[in-house]
């Protein structure tokens, strides 16, 4: 029934609602202030999800007026049966909220924007507000995941990475796997929902194309599932973690320096670390070994400056040794507001490959030109000192440097006498002295995101990524 101008009341308004877009139905009653039950029946209200603009989802209510208790109960019951028949829509979720993310907005985002939608969709939640780094991991190790339909994280990239690692590690433990060495990990038993409340929110941008908590929440509520590739990062003796992307060299040293200045506001310390690391720019000497991905020649993109190697033997490794300013290994495109094309635009969410991006030693001026390209639509790899490969496995073996001066140790957090090199894995800092072996595992986890039932929409999103 129209509201507002009385002239609208005489016009018949028709709207077709597809049940696949509906996520909740409620009986509508008029109640007095303070009245929690009963009230005068007015009809039923249907809540649906719609695309407000590109990539953004929003919810809206459609009110159907009917004063008959029997009619309303019948409609309500039948609509609920239809909604309960949709697969992948969660009924119970384990939720982690990191109150320290970014501007400490995660708690507000959850209780003001996310929780009301979960309640509207009749989703039960078990909420853990994390109190320290590693809290979510410790909870997940003891969590009975079969009690939930999914796990949700409200926070930044570091929080999401910790929850994803914990979810996959718990899956290996439950499967009786040796968690020190996992050549073929088992898939995560439940999907992971990512609600952005951090600074860069790379995983959320990659999944949704936007930083928008309501959009992320509605993807979870609607049960939109996207299989995603995951990497294992290991030393010769142990599994370091599961993750989606990593940087060695400039990207890792910048993070290491930022972590040393935690007392500064988030944006300030990141800007400071970026500028300081750039001012003290020095290459890493290391050996890279990689196993190229086997793909048909016709699948290669002629317009992309990407090195694709076709080998007779699938076990033939290639080696590169030299001085590198930065090495990136990414299983997903890694979109963010600062890199609209993505840090690794030549890979996809679930094509079973990783992008290996190697920036060889060059002048500071040329390196800055390369970095600036990430914020534009130009190809950031179109430089003679940048090489890209599509790979299945990578081994990074740093070469110990001796004679480091005090300046390097202070500002770069460089390889010390113990030989600990920083790694940036999904925005989390890790330090390792030995070789790091990275493997990609196809579709190891389901994330709430792109609706893969709509192939054209999914492909369009992939092309955009």
């Amino acid at each position: 029934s129209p509201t507002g101008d009385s002239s609208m009341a005489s016009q018949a308004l028709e709207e077709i609602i597809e049940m696949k877009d509906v996520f909740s139905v409620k009986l509508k009653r008029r109640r007095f202030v303070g009245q929690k039950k009963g009230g005068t029946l007015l009809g039923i209200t249907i809540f649906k999800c719609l695309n407000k603009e590109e990539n953004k989802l929003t919810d809206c209510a459609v009110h159907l007026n009917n004063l008959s208790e029997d009619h309303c109960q019948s409609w309500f019951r039948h609509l609920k049966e239809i909604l309960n028949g949709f697969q992948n829509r969660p009924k119970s979720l384990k939720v982690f909220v990191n109150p320290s993310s970014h501007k400490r907005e995660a708690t507000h985002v959850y209780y003001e924007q996310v929780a009301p939608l979960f309640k509207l969709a009749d989703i039960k939640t078990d909420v853990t507000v994390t109190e320290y780094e590693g809290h979510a991991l410790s909870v997940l190790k003891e969590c009975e995941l079969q009690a939930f339909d999914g796990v949700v994280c409200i926070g930044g990239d570091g929080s999401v990475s910790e929850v994803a690692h914990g979810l996959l590690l718990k899956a290996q433990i439950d499967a009786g796997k040796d968690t020190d060495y996992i050549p073929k990990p088992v898939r995560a038993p439940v999907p992971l929902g990512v609600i952005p409340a951090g600074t860069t929110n790379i995983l959320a941008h990659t999944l949704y194309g936007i930083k928008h908590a309501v959009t992320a929440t509605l993807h979870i509520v609607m049960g939109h599932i996207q299989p995603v590739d995951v990497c294992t990062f290991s030393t010769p003796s142990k599994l370091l973690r599961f993750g989606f992307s990593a940087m060695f060299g400039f990207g890792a040293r910048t993070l290491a320096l930022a972590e040393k200045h935690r007392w500064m506001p988030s944006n300030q310390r990141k800007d400071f670390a970026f500028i300081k690391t750039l001012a003290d720019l020095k290459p890493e000497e290391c050996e890279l070994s990689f196993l190229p991905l086997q793909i048909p020649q016709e699948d290669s993109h002629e317009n992309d400056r990407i090195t694709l190697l076709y080998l007779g033997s699938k076990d033939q490794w290639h080696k590169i040794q030299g001085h590198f300013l930065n090495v990136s290994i990414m299983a997903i495109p890694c979109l963010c507001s600062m890199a609209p094309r993505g840090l690794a635009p030549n890979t996809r969410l679930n094509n079973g490959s990783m992008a290996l991006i190697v920036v060889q030693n060059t002048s500071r001026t040329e390196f800055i030109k390369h970095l600036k390209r990430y914020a534009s639509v130009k190809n950031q790899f179109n430089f003679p000192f940048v090489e890209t490969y599509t790979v299945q496995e990578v081994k990074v073996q740093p070469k110990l440097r001796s004679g480091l001066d005090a300046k390097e140790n202070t500002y770069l957090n460089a390889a010390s006498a113990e030989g600990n090199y920083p790694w940036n894995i999904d925005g989390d800092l890790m330090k390792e002295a030995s070789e790091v072996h990275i493997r990609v595992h196809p579709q190891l986890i389901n994330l709430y995101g792109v609706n893969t039932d709509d192939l054209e929409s999914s492909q369009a999103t992939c092309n955009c990524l």
Side-chain angles (χ1 to χ4, degrees):
S1 60
T3 59
D5 195 313
S6 59
S7 65
M8 290 289 292
S10 62
Q11 297 181 17
L13 299 180
E14 182 178 295
E15 181 178 1
I16 295 173
I17 299 173
E18 294 191 57
M19 285 304 295
K20 69 179 181 65
D21 297 326
V22 175
F23 65 88
S24 182
V25 58
K26 301 289 184 184
L27 289 170
K28 182 183 179 183
R29 298 181 184 274
R30 180 186 290 120
R31 290 172 178 160
F32 298 108
V33 176
Q35 185 180 2
K36 294 183 179 181
K37 293 184 178 181
T40 304
L41 181 69
L42 300 177
I44 65 173
T45 300
I46 294 173
F47 296 89
K48 68 172 186 172
C49 172
L50 54 84
N51 286 296
K52 191 172 184 180
E53 54 190 60
E54 188 176 1
N55 295 323
K56 184 178 287 187
L57 301 181
T58 187
D59 61 297
C60 72
V62 179
H63 303 287
L64 305 180
N65 295 338
N66 193 318
L67 302 182
S68 167
E69 187 82 31
D70 290 341
H71 286 171
C72 288
Q73 288 289 353
S74 179
W75 274 76
F76 176 77
R77 185 172 61 254
H78 284 295
L79 290 176
K80 287 287 287 185
E81 287 176 0
I82 294 172
L83 293 182
N84 290 334
F86 286 114
Q87 293 184 342
N88 299 326
R89 293 195 179 183
K91 303 297 183 194
S92 177
L93 293 170
K94 176 62 189 173
V95 179
F96 292 95
V97 181
N98 180 3
S100 301
S101 290
H102 191 36
K103 298 178 181 178
R104 302 184 182 277
E105 61 186 16
T107 306
H108 172 78
V109 167
Y110 177 70
Y111 287 106
E112 296 296 325
Q113 301 181 54
V114 180
L117 285 171
F118 284 167
K119 183 178 180 181
L120 194 60
D122 297 319
I123 298 173
K124 296 179 181 179
T125 56
D126 180 15
V127 181
T128 297
V129 179
T130 57
E131 299 174 3
Y132 53 88
E133 185 177 348
H135 188 182
L137 177 60
S138 63
V139 171
L140 280 167
K141 283 183 177 180
E142 305 298 325
C143 185
E144 297 296 331
L145 290 176
Q146 61 267 27
F148 303 101
D149 299 315
V151 175
V152 174
C153 176
I154 299 93
D157 291 324
S159 306
V160 174
S161 177
E162 180 184 328
V163 172
H165 171 65
L167 184 58
L168 284 162
L169 193 63
K170 173 63 173 175
Q172 312 315 308
I173 294 171
D174 289 347
K177 295 271 187 177
D178 178 4
T179 54
D180 285 335
Y181 178 71
I182 312 177
K184 292 185 178 180
V186 298
R187 298 183 81 243
V190 295
L192 170 62
V194 179
I195 296 177
T199 306
T200 51
N201 303 290
I202 282 176
L203 199 55
H205 270 283
T206 304
L207 283 169
Y208 317 126
I210 191 173
K211 178 188 176 182
H212 190 241
V214 170
T215 295
T217 306
L218 287 172
H219 277 297
I220 296 169
V221 168
M222 301 299 288
H224 296 166
I225 297 296
Q226 172 64 57
V228 177
D229 301 338
V230 181
C231 303
T232 48
F233 298 87
S234 310
T235 66
S237 60
K238 64 177 180 178
L239 171 74
L240 296 176
R241 71 180 301 151
F242 293 93
F244 303 96
S245 65
M247 285 187 280
F248 178 79
F250 178 80
R253 296 206 179 283
T254 301
L255 177 62
L257 189 56
E259 288 296 313
K260 290 177 66 177
H261 293 78
R262 273 279 177 183
W263 52 271
M264 297 173 68
S266 176
N267 288 338
Q268 287 186 22
R269 72 169 176 266
K270 289 182 178 180
D271 290 344
F272 165 78
F274 179 85
I275 293 170
K276 193 63 187 174
T277 308
L278 196 58
D280 297 315
L281 188 65
K282 288 182 176 62
E284 302 286 358
E285 183 180 359
C286 63
E287 180 181 274
L288 303 176
S289 306
F290 59 91
L291 190 59
L293 181 71
Q294 297 286 305
I295 62 174
Q297 182 73 44
E298 59 267 19
D299 286 350
S300 64
H301 300 280
E302 294 181 0
N303 295 328
D304 291 342
R305 187 181 184 279
I306 182 168
T307 305
L308 300 172
L309 303 178
Y310 308 96
L311 304 172
S313 170
K314 65 179 181 179
D315 297 323
Q316 186 173 345
W317 286 77
H318 280 237
K319 290 186 178 180
I320 307 174
Q321 188 167 336
H323 293 79
F324 309 115
L325 292 177
N326 194 68
V327 177
S328 299
I329 304 108
M330 298 178 171
I332 62 174
C334 295
L335 273 72
C336 64
S337 58
M338 295 173 288
R341 292 183 68 243
L343 300 177
N346 293 322
T347 191
R348 296 290 179 264
L349 285 168
N350 60 351
N351 64 352
S353 72
M354 299 182 292
L356 171 61
I357 304 163
V358 181
V359 182
Q360 297 180 353
N361 193 20
T362 187
S363 68
R364 185 180 292 106
T365 302
E366 289 298 302
F367 185 61
I368 291 173
K369 288 181 181 179
H370 162 65
L371 295 179
K372 283 184 175 180
R373 286 277 185 92
Y374 281 97
S376 71
V377 296
K378 296 181 179 179
N379 187 346
Q380 63 261 42
F381 308 134
N382 192 21
F383 292 94
F385 54 87
V386 180
E387 296 178 1
T388 62
Y389 305 88
T390 302
V391 300
Q392 302 174 74
E393 295 185 44
V394 180
K395 296 178 182 178
V396 181
Q397 176 64 66
K399 301 297 182 182
L400 291 177
R401 298 203 315 244
S402 58
L404 295 175
D405 57 31
K407 185 177 181 181
E408 284 182 284
N409 278 318
T410 301
Y411 295 128
L412 291 180
N413 196 18
S416 62
E418 293 81 20
N420 287 324
Y421 290 83
W423 278 82
N424 180 342
I425 300 179
D426 293 332
D428 273 353
L429 178 65
M430 299 196 72
K431 294 182 181 179
E432 275 303 320
S434 60
E435 174 186 275
V436 175
H437 186 181
I438 304 102
R439 293 185 179 93
V440 65
H441 305 279
Q443 304 183 20
L444 194 60
I445 193 171
N446 282 335
L447 298 183
Y448 288 109
V450 177
N451 184 4
T452 51
D453 291 335
D454 186 348
L455 295 179
E456 290 184 1
S457 173
S458 178
Q459 187 59 49
T461 304
C462 287
N463 290 339
C464 174
L465 298 182

